[in-house]
Amino acid sequence: MTISEINKRIQPQRELLLQHALYHKIQTVSHLQIFMQGHVYAVWDFMSLLKALQQKLTCTTAPWFASPNPETRYLINEIVLAEESDLSIDGRRLSHFEMYIEAMQASDANTEEVLHFIEEVRRCDSVFTAIEQSALHPKIKAFLQFSFGVIATGKSHEIAAAFTFGREDLIPDMFTEILKGFEQNFPQTDLSKLIYYFERHIELDADEHGPMAMKMIAELCGNDAEKWEEVAVVSNEALKRRIGLWEAIEEQIENAK
């Protein structure tokens, strides 16, 4: 199997995400705030998948030993560098999660819930317990449980699949145009940091991180047909869970109308 064959298998789910009704439901700043308050969990779990890959594919302990595959070591370290310490809109070094939190704060979205949830994860013995005990929407819980379930398997190629497919490259350019329209129509709401986040993330995914992640999957799977099949299954499921996240946010917007 190849990356192109994986893409063919997951194309129906990709199309559902790209054409999801959620984008057209975001019609006011309050709707956008609800979107951010749900989407932030995808930003956080993306960082968690990233660090799980770095732990698997490089040496992150002392004493140091060279990890087996220099190519995958390079690929994941390059992605980590930008995702964990990119340049923010005002030239500071921040992770993309921290950028997103600042964007939420600038647009008056509620950050208390997600920051409280992360503190509960920090205090809890198990991330799964923290997710289950949270007040999150069931489909947001399912989204997070899937990601951390893949991490728990310890299979690098499966973690790479969940990391690569169903992420920010599936937020279409149309969404950024919606944000720019909001910026013009609601000048009292600062969306500059949010627009910067999406433009930066989509730029990195398209030009650098997307191709790197695909190459990483190819390196990890090699000629192992079983690994390729597992990548296909995890990728498809990742997209389904992302659709579930979108459905949760859409429901919350509808309930707020």
Side-chain angles (χ1 to χ4, degrees), residues 6-251:
I6 297 286
N7 281 325
K8 285 180 184 176
R9 283 189 48 179
I10 65 174
Q11 189 59 30
Q13 298 297 334
R14 282 179 58 87
E15 287 301 317
L16 287 174
L17 270 169
L18 287 168
Q19 298 173 16
H20 202 282
L22 171 64
Y23 301 114
H24 299 287
K25 299 286 178 69
I26 303 170
Q27 298 173 352
T28 68
V29 169
S30 63
H31 295 162
L32 179 61
Q33 290 165 344
I34 292 169
F35 170 83
M36 296 175 77
Q37 288 158 199
H39 176 245
V40 67
Y41 294 96
V43 180
W44 177 69
D45 101 313
F46 178 84
M47 298 300 299
S48 300
L49 288 162
L50 173 68
K51 297 305 287 186
L53 275 173
Q54 188 182 35
Q55 290 168 11
K56 296 290 293 181
L57 302 178
T58 73
C59 182
T60 58
T61 57
W64 177 87
F65 302 99
S67 53
N69 190 323
E71 186 67 22
T72 56
R73 184 196 314 159
Y74 163 76
L75 292 168
I76 194 61
N77 279 335
E78 277 291 302
I79 297 172
V80 168
L81 178 63
E83 296 288 346
E84 198 170 33
S85 50
D86 201 5
L87 282 174
S88 67
I89 193 171
D90 52 7
R92 292 173 298 136
R93 290 288 176 186
L94 291 174
S95 70
H96 281 201
F97 176 76
E98 290 165 314
M99 284 186 200
Y100 201 85
I101 291 294
E102 288 197 355
M104 291 178 70
Q105 291 166 341
S107 60
D108 294 324
N110 183 325
T111 60
E112 290 181 11
E113 291 179 0
V114 66
L115 295 178
H116 172 73
F117 168 75
I118 290 172
E119 278 305 308
E120 288 301 308
V121 172
R122 196 190 301 273
R123 283 197 288 263
C124 205
D125 291 337
S126 164
V127 65
F128 296 103
T129 301
I131 293 167
E132 188 55 41
Q133 291 179 349
S134 74
L136 293 172
H137 189 288
K139 289 184 177 179
I140 298 179
K141 287 185 180 183
F143 176 82
L144 292 171
Q145 287 164 339
F146 168 75
S147 294
F148 285 97
V150 172
I151 290 171
T153 67
K155 294 183 177 182
S156 300
H157 59 287
E158 291 191 356
I159 301 171
F163 172 81
T164 302
F165 298 100
R167 312 313 302 191
E168 293 345 301
D169 64 318
L170 286 170
I171 292 180
D173 292 339
M174 172 193 73
F175 185 67
T176 306
E177 294 306 311
I178 290 171
L179 294 180
K180 290 177 179 176
F182 277 11
E183 195 174 40
Q184 292 172 352
N185 296 326
F186 305 98
Q188 71 278 15
T189 304
D190 181 6
L191 298 179
S192 58
K193 290 183 176 180
L194 182 61
I195 292 170
Y196 177 85
Y197 167 86
F198 280 117
E199 289 184 337
R200 179 67 179 144
H201 212 89
I202 291 169
E203 174 192 6
L204 282 172
D205 280 348
D207 297 339
E208 299 175 38
H209 294 178
M212 282 182 174
M214 297 296 183
K215 188 174 181 181
M216 182 166 53
I217 288 174
E219 289 278 339
L220 291 170
C221 291
N223 295 317
D224 191 322
E226 184 177 348
K227 286 183 178 180
W228 278 110
E229 181 59 30
E230 288 172 340
V231 163
V233 170
V234 168
S235 301
N236 205 54
E237 190 62 28
L239 290 166
K240 288 181 180 178
R241 299 293 180 168
R242 185 60 175 248
I243 290 169
L245 176 68
W246 265 201
E247 289 170 347
I249 297 170
E250 184 181 14
E251 181 184 320

